[in-house]
Amino acid sequence: QELSADAITQAISAVNTEAIIANKEATRNWPTHGLDYEETRHSKLDGINTENVSKLALAWSAGLDSRRGVEATPIVVDGVMYVTASWSIVHAFNAVTGEKLWEYDPEVPKDYAYKGCCDVINRGVAVYEGKVFVASYDGFLHAIDAATGAQAWKIDTIENREMSYTITGAPRVYKGKVMIGNAGAEYGVRGYITAYDATSGEQQWRWYSVPGDPSKPFEDDSMKAAAETWDPAGKWWEAGGGGTMWDSMAFDPELDLMYVGTGNGSPWNRNLRSPAGGDNLYLASVVALNPDTGEYVCHHQETPGDNWDYTSTQHIILADLEIEGEARKVWLHAPKNGFFYVVDRTNCDFISAEKFVEVNWATGYDEEGRPIEVDGARSRTEPWETIPSAYGAHNWHPMSFNPQTGLVYIPAQGVPLVQQHNPDWQLNTHVPGAAMSNLGWNLGYLFNTVAPTATPFGHLLAWDPVNQKEVWRANYVSPWNGGTLTTAGGLVFQGTADGRFVAYDAKSGEMLWQTPVGSGVVAAPSTWEKDGVQYVTVAVGWGGVYGQMQRATEKTGPGRVYTFMLDGKGEMPEMVEREPATLVAGVPYNPEDIGPGAALYVSSCLFCHGVPGVNNGGNIPNLGFSSADTLNNAAELLLTGAFVEGGMPTFEGKLTEDEVKKIVAFIQGTADAVRPK
Ligand SMILES: O=C(O)c1cc(C(=O)O)c2c(n1)C(=O)C(=O)c1cc(C(=O)O)[nH]c1-2
Ligand SMILES: [Ca+2]
């Protein structure tokens, strides 16, 4: 089934995505990140269903030329698929045959990896009236001709390039405007979201989520109100404040409101950021904005005075539910902090919140919607294991809501982590642009001073939002499983950290079908129809903040997109096993260097490479399994940028040869310590 180039051009150019999204019943496409404005990820298609899903088989698969995390939801419009991989590269395919149509490389400088916390990932594109929009890791918004892959325009969204801003999220188009936020709250930035005209690229509005320097005029009343909730003694504006809106949005055309989730504080530690306390608005909140003007309308803050990287950027779903006999327009939210929220989206009034995993920072929420914090949950000078940890009880991996079962399908998890107040933190140690080497300082916490005691877990959680309770779960071998999709065929689809793509009965949780896909999956699948045939597509490629240092399977394929159909005749690619790794041995070092080397390692290496010989290495190598040659030549390799093309920054001017020697001592010393005797 060939698509002529002319047909593609015509089809894509004619598409008014807004009309498709508004007319949901007729949607045979997957036109926007969350499928619809409400971001339900519930498809009305039922050609593939509980009765026949066992016959699901590969239609085609294609490589994405990516060795880092793939987090994109594939967008499909009229038989053309747009999917992004690492380094924000866009791939367009004939969705039925898998034929590659074009590729668009925004040419992100490889040393940009240095400015981001969580892998060089991208969550996908937006499409609108013949254009494809991608926001690149280096902070540009690109408009691409959907038919040819040629650049239409490119705009710099970053107002201060001295700071470590990046973009990982998928843009959304509401009312002819492209909406995009940014990332960087681990490094000291001030979060904002901007709207651009989808045709011209002209900036329409910008809304900041946290106040700036109080000696300057406030941008709007919401910033004035927010400033009252921060202690000026913390000089938060010099550390950025945070609140980055790096992932979720949703839109209600009837109420004419858009919703955006905000991130954590910068630094994490409120004691340092705002010593007198305060809620620090609008951190860790869901905020309703006017989509035409960007004006603040209302908000609900889930973690007042965030202290733990409890971002509320997680996927927002809009739903109409009957609660205590009353029809309510709500948003549903399962942020990092472990509570599931139901909030009235007409006015941001709190309805309910219940823990969906074990939680030790709060016991619940009062009627006003404020958490009842556990005494001593913040500002501890001794190490404390916060549950959930900064990895979140649920991270960016999208959830889905099926109105037929009334259930939300959440990729729930636990990744234990111990944190401790950093008494040496100083604001002025922040060197703009020199992000990674200051990370330990900027967070205001110390890590891994003692080992956590909780056990990591991951499961697919089917949650009843009306009664706020678990209905079923499917357990996995590891945290960090893929986003979910649910369908009118009574199914839930999810990829797993251990390299499978699985279909469940949405009602009962019974596993009905699965296939290996050769790599851990973090992204969410999409489903679509062409010429009366339903397809399911998932992009695989292990990565993200957990996947860059840990893995759950030895199967290690590069990024790949798989499309399945009933009785598909595609040939599954070969599943490649990872080479067994051995702990590095025999590199000479001075044992006295291990202590100082550990501190240097934590601030410069830990976030990507994990603990040497302990984390098993995800898509970024664990240095405890380096070759002795690499460690012996570490100074030369690190200080000359030998690995820059792979995304490893040069540490020239950031570390001295002597400091590298100390880091090597820590790596070899740790490898020796963990080697089985
Ligand atoms: O504060 C931020 O600006 C920010 C940005 C991002 C990002 O853009 O990916 C992540 C986080 N925080 C974060 O806390 C986090 O756990 C996380 C996981 C991932 C990922 O893609 O796997 N990104 C991010
Ligand atoms: Ca964060």
Side-chain angles (χ1 to χ4, degrees):
Q1 196 176 359
E2 292 283 313
L3 275 179
S4 77
D6 276 358
I8 295 163
T9 308
Q10 225 177 8
I12 307 174
S13 305
V15 165
N16 178 333
T17 315
E18 194 138 29
I20 295 170
I21 299 169
N23 186 11
K24 257 198 316 173
E25 296 301 325
T27 295
R28 298 284 175 238
N29 294 312
W30 191 283
T32 184
H33 190 62
L35 173 61
D36 43 38
Y37 283 144
E38 297 87 349
E39 306 257 332
T40 61
R41 292 178 181 265
H42 171 253
S43 168
K44 304 260 185 326
L45 300 177
D46 61 2
I48 299 166
N49 53 52
T50 48
E51 298 298 308
N52 62 20
V53 67
S54 62
K55 292 192 291 186
L56 204 58
L58 187 70
W60 58 267
S61 78
L64 294 172
D65 194 21
S66 168
R67 302 222 154 248
R68 302 282 291 267
V70 175
E71 298 193 353
T73 300
I75 300 294
V76 182
V77 177
D78 273 346
V80 183
M81 178 182 300
Y82 309 94
V83 58
T84 64
S86 51
W87 300 108
S88 332
I89 296 172
V90 188
H91 301 256
F93 296 99
N94 176 327
V96 172
T97 64
E99 179 204 354
K100 181 94 169 249
L101 301 177
W102 52 257
E103 183 175 317
Y104 177 85
D105 184 351
E107 294 177 358
V108 175
K110 293 293 185 285
D111 57 2
Y112 238 86
Y114 186 66
K115 292 200 172 209
C117 61
C118 304
D119 202 356
V120 290
I121 46 82
N122 181 277
R123 300 192 186 87
V125 302
V127 292
Y128 183 77
E129 293 196 332
K131 285 200 185 70
V132 174
F133 301 94
V134 68
S136 54
Y137 201 67
D138 56 350
F140 291 87
L141 178 65
H142 305 246
I144 307 161
D145 182 315
T148 64
Q151 184 183 94
W153 45 258
K154 167 183 167 181
I155 279 171
D156 190 354
T157 75
I158 304 304
E159 61 179 18
N160 180 353
R161 289 207 162 261
E162 293 280 282
M163 312 300 275
S164 290
Y165 282 106
T166 51
I167 301 185
T168 59
R172 313 292 202 278
V173 182
Y174 304 143
K175 305 179 85 175
K177 296 181 188 65
V178 190
M179 313 287 179
I180 189 68
N182 49 42
E186 265 68 80
Y187 300 106
V189 303
R190 182 183 182 201
Y192 58 85
I193 178 172
T194 317
Y196 298 92
D197 182 277
T199 308
S200 66
E202 205 176 308
Q203 184 173 324
Q204 305 295 298
W205 53 258
R206 173 165 291 172
W207 183 76
Y208 295 88
S209 59
V210 297
D213 183 345
S215 73
K216 297 193 180 133
F218 294 111
E219 286 84 0
D220 58 49
D221 288 347
S222 73
M223 288 300 98
K224 191 162 170 231
E228 314 263 299
T229 67
W230 295 68
D231 175 6
K235 293 202 177 174
W236 74 84
W237 59 95
E238 286 181 27
T244 42
M245 292 161 276
W246 53 270
D247 192 34
S248 70
M249 291 175 232
F251 175 47
D252 184 329
E254 249 168 69
L255 296 171
D256 201 18
L257 290 175
M258 62 177 282
Y259 305 87
V260 60
T262 70
N264 56 279
S266 232
W268 286 6
N269 190 339
R270 187 184 65 173
N271 230 27
L272 302 168
R273 191 177 68 232
S274 185
D279 287 353
N280 294 181
L281 293 172
Y282 302 87
L283 296 179
S285 304
V286 176
V287 184
L289 300 175
N290 177 323
D292 296 314
T293 61
E295 238 172 308
Y296 162 92
V297 176
C298 61
H299 77 279
H300 177 252
Q301 189 177 40
E302 295 171 329
T303 314
D306 167 49
N307 198 59
W308 308 274
D309 187 26
Y310 281 166
T311 68
S312 290
T313 54
Q314 282 60 39
H315 181 186
I316 301 162
I317 294 180
L318 309 185
D320 295 345
L321 299 180
E322 190 178 310
I323 297 171
E324 291 176 351
E326 226 185 300
R328 302 291 297 264
K329 288 180 183 299
V330 302
W331 78 61
L332 307 174
H333 204 219
K336 274 189 182 178
N337 77 12
F339 286 88
F340 190 95
Y341 296 80
V342 182
V343 175
D344 186 327
R345 74 171 179 274
T346 66
N347 55 16
C348 300
D349 276 359
F350 174 79
I351 297 174
S352 65
E354 201 55 59
K355 10 181 150 156
F356 63 94
V357 294
E358 187 194 334
V359 167
N360 77 354
W361 70 277
T363 54
Y365 276 69
D366 68 16
E367 296 204 339
E368 250 72 276
R370 280 193 79 85
I372 302 155
E373 266 184 40
V374 170
D375 248 5
R378 49 175 86 224
S379 308
R380 294 203 177 203
T381 48
E382 76 281 16
W384 196 55
E385 188 170 344
T386 316
I387 303 174
S389 76
Y391 286 95
H394 170 222
N395 208 306
W396 61 270
H397 316 80
M399 57 187 196
S400 54
F401 170 63
N402 189 328
Q404 292 155 312
T405 59
L407 301 178
V408 182
Y409 303 96
I410 311 167
Q413 61 174 20
V415 183
L417 196 69
V418 171
Q419 67 184 49
Q420 180 184 356
H421 177 77
N422 182 351
D424 297 327
W425 187 86
Q426 285 172 38
L427 192 63
N428 62 12
T429 56
H430 175 73
V431 180
M436 199 79 85
S437 57
N438 277 308
L439 184 61
W441 296 91
N442 280 331
L443 298 174
Y445 282 110
L446 301 168
F447 288 95
N448 292 296
T449 45
V450 299
T453 57
T455 312
F457 67 85
H459 57 247
L460 168 59
L461 180 62
W463 185 262
D464 170 353
V466 172
N467 298 301
Q468 289 277 29
K469 66 175 202 329
E470 174 172 343
V471 174
W472 57 260
R473 72 168 73 177
N475 286 313
Y476 294 128
V477 298
S478 153
W480 216 249
N481 299 283
T484 71
L485 154 71
T486 184
T487 72
L491 297 169
V492 179
F493 288 92
Q494 187 184 23
T496 66
D498 63 352
R500 295 171 295 136
F501 186 49
V502 189
Y504 300 91
D505 183 316
K507 248 194 221 129
S508 69
E510 187 191 345
M511 190 202 285
L512 299 176
W513 173 85
Q514 63 170 331
T515 184
V517 286
S519 163
V521 187
V522 290
S526 59
T527 187
W528 45 280
E529 193 183 279
K530 180 74 180 163
D531 300 330
V533 180
Q534 187 185 351
Y535 299 81
V536 180
T537 295
V538 66
V540 316
W542 183 240
V545 70
Y546 180 83
Q548 61 189 2
M549 47 178 132
Q550 291 271 31
R551 61 177 181 262
T553 172
E554 297 307 314
K555 295 276 187 304
T556 168
R560 201 166 183 87
V561 59
Y562 289 85
T563 293
F564 300 93
M565 64 191 290
L566 297 178
D567 299 314
K569 298 285 182 281
E571 217 171 288
M572 284 302 268
E574 200 186 333
M575 307 286 157
V576 184
E577 246 351 272
R578 192 181 296 250
E579 300 272 333
T582 44
L583 283 167
V584 63
V587 175
Y589 65 91
N590 176 356
E592 280 173 18
D593 283 344
I594 293 180
L600 290 162
Y601 185 91
V602 168
S603 57
S604 293
C605 321
L606 178 76
F607 232 66
C608 298
H609 292 284
V611 185
V614 175
N615 297 77
N616 61 4
N619 66 27
I620 296 181
N622 181 288
L623 301 175
F625 301 97
S626 305
S627 73
D629 263 4
T630 302
L631 286 198
N632 281 322
N633 297 312
E636 197 189 319
L637 295 169
L638 249 73
L639 304 180
T640 59
F643 299 126
V644 166
E645 270 315 294
M648 166 76 188
T650 168
F651 279 79
E652 189 187 357
K654 300 187 174 90
L655 292 171
T656 63
E657 265 186 55
D658 185 59
E659 287 172 327
V660 174
K661 210 176 92 200
K662 293 188 164 89
I663 290 175
V664 167
F666 171 69
I667 295 168
Q668 182 62 71
T670 312
D672 290 342
V674 300
R675 196 186 322 276
K677 296 282 170 330

